[in-house]
Amino acid sequence: MTVDGLRRSPLGDLPETLGHGVRLREIPFLTQLNLRLAPGGGAAARVAEVLGAALPTEPNTVTDSGDLRLLWLGPDEWLIVGPDGAAPDTEGRIRTALPGEHACLVDVSANRTTLELSGPGARTVLEKGCALDLHPRAFTPGRCAQTLVSKVNVVLDQLDAEPRYRLLVRGSFARYLADWLLDAMSDTALIG
Amino acid sequence: MLLIACPWCGERDEVEFHYGGQAHVAYPSDPEALSDAEWAQYLFVRDNPKGPFAERWSHAAGCRRWFNVVRHTVTHEILAVHPAGRPKPVIA
Amino acid sequence: MSHELPEHPDWLWRTPDPKRAYDVVIVGAGGHGLATAYYLARDHGITDVAVLERGWLAGGNMARNTTIIRSNYLCDASAAIYEHALKLWETLPEELEYDFLFSQRGVLNLAHTLQDVREGIRRVHANRLGGIDAQWLDPDEVRAFCPIVNTSPEVRYPVLGATLQPRAGIAKHDHVAWALARKADAYGIDLIQGCEVTGFVRDGERVVGVETTRGRIGAGRVALAAAGHTSTLADLLGLRLPLQSHPLQALVSELLEPVHPTVVMSNHVHVYVSQAHKGELVMGAGIDSYNGYGQRGSFHQIEHQMAAALELFPIFARAHVLRTWGGIVDVTPDASPIIGSTPIENLYLNCGWGTGGFKATPASGRVYADTIATGTPHPLAAPFALERFTTGALIDEHGAAAVAH
Ligand SMILES: Cc1cc2nc3c(=O)[nH]c(=O)nc-3n(C[C@H](O)[C@H](O)[C@H](O)COP(=O)(O)OP(=O)(O)OC[C@H]3O[C@@H](n4cnc5c(N)ncnc54)[C@H](O)[C@@H]3O)c2cc1C
Ligand SMILES: [Zn+2]
């Protein structure tokens, strides 16, 4: 049996759920690499080269490179999110940019699972438990944030204007957050 | 409810933050040289003003960075926000 | 509830103008200041005393607390002083000739985790060794004692047991203050409201009086009893104290039929609930993490506390929050009070009672009065001296039991 056969995602039994103009599903096993280094230095430049995109320096923004999303987590910290299975290759490529640098790269893929909330009603659902201003004037595709949704720490990443959001959440909180989202979605008064 | 402007993330709800007490309290450079009373002052005694107070906050549920805030302890008005490591701003 | 509210007495106290000087000036007419005045007169015959109050009598934390009275603390020094208070409470209504509705309906401290269970059982044993009534209840016994507590295993933090102190309970805080004030006044002590202390008069290392909004008042001894404002006063003398002032909130529901027979405290889900004599549910929670003098706290504390209350008491689901308020509590690093003398001659300190000083009111006043009158610490007060932060002999009640109020 391969390791793949033993993997369990925290929400493995969550069916894709459609609500009133909203869709919720789990995207299990995304690659997540936590990268820390000094912004604006040689290491940052070389990482940009190997990844084909610059690490964002504007707080709470995302840059894209093919399959990868580079999320700003802090002034010297990023989360590199990619598809399942991309970790070894991505990590290997980044490491070639780091020799001799004061930097830190950790595979944290098992830390969080990902919930995808999308559809015209997605923002309304999220706003029930999130204090951020998610209106397009303030929060658009290419923005991310670490914040609380119904008291749970999430990394929120807006992928497109539909809107489609990813909520990266720690495994042990995932069930609670999914239940909370399903409950919030069940409100028929949601505007479309 | 406080709205605290994280120097990195901008204004966020107070529940995202962790309080760290008085800012700009330096660890004694030579702890061995302190008397017990001086050590007690360092360890246990902090300012507790009724008015502007320079204090530390961490954006715990956000970018997890520590920074400093000058907040009025009666009105809760936030008078200044500055990154950790900078000197205390002068509040008129 | 079953208890009729007592008649309001027709005479409470005089409204004297301040004299030029007093033997003892007490700063703050909360419960502790008033009790100190009363015991100075009763135990020591010292009646040339003024209690100066910046606002109105007992309008600070004394008017804002949730009136829980208990003595089941873990540390010997705390258990001793709170038990002394509990014994005084038991005879005080008669002594003060004022029925302030002291009701020994018991206090439950719920345990929701293995750690809670161990802490609770340990505290029960420690209390019994110290001669304090204490029992350990299993969940069925909790339900029998207080049927409205949700003891189902289905909740997020099931009730795994509870400590019970049967002699603990509640009292009507305003009436306690008025009862003490009336007796102090009857001894000839001046209770002076609307008189804020704004400075101190010094003669070298000694304090010899206070500056107030009603002029200078000379004092043989100055006794601070200003709760959350103590460090602000001490700052005027250059005395830095290990105190931080935080908002602490409480709230009440509308008046309900009697449903809640006791006092339930849960440190883990963080709420405590009793039902006052008139019928309102009285609930409180934790302090705001940050310092504040605004006498109001943040809304998320209330929200958190309500969520906890509903989990423990599903029966309250339709009750309404009628009113919320906050007080300013003075918290020390070890969450125990400071009682005694200071490096400044003739200046005495009684502060740091934080979230839990109402229950101590009579004992606090009594040992403080004794310390002021004799110039040496009362044995029950001695462990609470300011010096403990230098010697390291902390009374780490917070670390030991982590139970507030
Ligand atoms: C919401 C809440 C719930 C609580 N619940 C409980 C509980 O269930 N059980 C319990 O045991 N304890 C409880 N406490 C704690 C308890 O209320 C306090 O520890 C206790 O009341 C403090 O002593 P006091 O009564 O003398 O304080 P206060 O009543 O605050 O008295 C201090 C007085 O000093 C006056 N003062 C301040 N500065 C000056 C000045 N410069 N000049 C003149 N006067 C001045 C103030 O106006 C005030 O009246 C609670 C407190 C709060 C806020
Ligand atoms: Zn931030």
Side-chain angles (χ1 to χ4, degrees), chain C residues 34-346:
Chain C
L34 293 168
T36 307
Y38 169 69
Y39 286 107
L40 276 174
R42 193 201 78 166
D43 292 356
H44 306 281
I46 299 175
T47 56
D48 185 23
V49 176
V51 186
L52 309 183
E53 169 55 50
R54 70 204 272 260
W56 63 95
L57 191 138
N61 293 342
M62 190 60 175
R64 293 156 198 274
N65 71 79
T66 47
T67 82
I68 296 173
I69 294 171
R70 60 186 181 89
S71 64
N72 55 350
Y73 282 68
L74 181 71
C75 303
D76 289 345
S78 329
I81 196 166
Y82 290 110
E83 177 60 17
H84 183 58
L86 186 45
K87 293 221 167 71
L88 291 172
W89 284 116
E90 285 170 337
T91 56
L92 211 53
E94 204 174 321
E95 179 180 327
L96 299 179
E97 300 171 283
Y98 201 133
D99 178 8
F100 50 72
L101 304 175
F102 176 51
S103 162
Q104 291 177 289
R105 57 183 63 190
V107 168
L108 289 172
N109 291 116
L110 301 183
H112 301 273
T113 64
L114 186 57
Q115 160 67 19
D116 280 357
V117 171
R118 288 180 177 147
E119 183 282 316
I121 291 174
R122 177 182 181 213
R123 195 156 40 78
V124 164
H125 288 311
N127 289 158
R128 285 198 183 157
L129 286 171
I132 292 171
D133 58 320
Q135 297 170 25
W136 176 256
L137 306 188
D138 67 25
D140 287 338
E141 292 167 324
V142 171
R143 183 165 49 238
F145 192 75
C146 185
I148 61 172
V149 176
N150 185 2
T151 49
S152 143
E154 298 305 313
V155 296
R156 180 145 178 240
Y157 296 110
V159 174
L160 303 180
T163 65
L164 168 65
Q165 182 177 25
R167 286 163 59 242
I170 55 175
K172 193 155 168 54
H173 47 2
D174 297 333
H175 291 212
V176 172
W178 301 339
L180 288 165
R182 189 171 65 147
K183 282 290 174 196
D185 176 88
Y187 278 119
I189 288 171
D190 285 354
L191 310 176
I192 302 166
Q193 306 182 62
C195 180
E196 178 169 1
V197 171
T198 54
F200 294 88
V201 189
R202 291 179 75 149
D203 175 8
E205 283 308 294
R206 288 186 308 149
V207 165
V208 295
V210 291
E211 303 287 357
T212 80
T213 47
R214 298 185 62 181
R216 176 177 290 201
I217 302 173
R221 283 153 285 183
V222 175
L224 301 186
H229 303 274
T230 307
S231 66
T232 313
L233 282 163
D235 278 347
L236 297 171
L237 286 160
L239 177 65
R240 290 183 84 220
L241 295 175
L243 290 175
Q244 297 281 292
S245 297
H246 292 269
L248 176 68
Q249 299 182 85
L251 60 90
V252 287
S253 73
E254 73 270 51
L255 307 188
L256 302 172
E257 289 296 312
V259 287
H260 187 10
T262 181
V263 180
V264 173
M265 309 180 69
S266 165
N267 214 49
H268 195 78
V269 303
H270 224 144
V271 70
Y272 55 95
V273 185
S274 67
Q275 186 169 22
H277 301 78
K278 270 189 299 177
E280 69 269 36
L281 299 169
V282 181
M283 307 192 194
I287 57 171
D288 279 5
S289 63
Y290 47 90
N291 298 20
Y293 287 93
Q295 280 205 148
R296 70 197 152 93
S298 45
F299 185 70
H300 69 90
Q301 292 285 358
I302 302 280
E303 201 180 5
H304 183 66
Q305 159 186 355
M306 287 301 88
L310 283 195
E311 170 143 316
L312 281 180
F313 299 97
I315 190 179
F316 297 157
R318 281 156 196 270
H320 298 96
V321 172
L322 208 65
R323 209 153 48 79
T324 75
W325 65 88
I328 307 164
V329 297
D330 42 337
V331 180
T332 60
D334 62 358
S336 287
I338 302 170
I339 315 167
S341 58
T342 67
I344 295 161
E345 213 179 312
N346 297 337

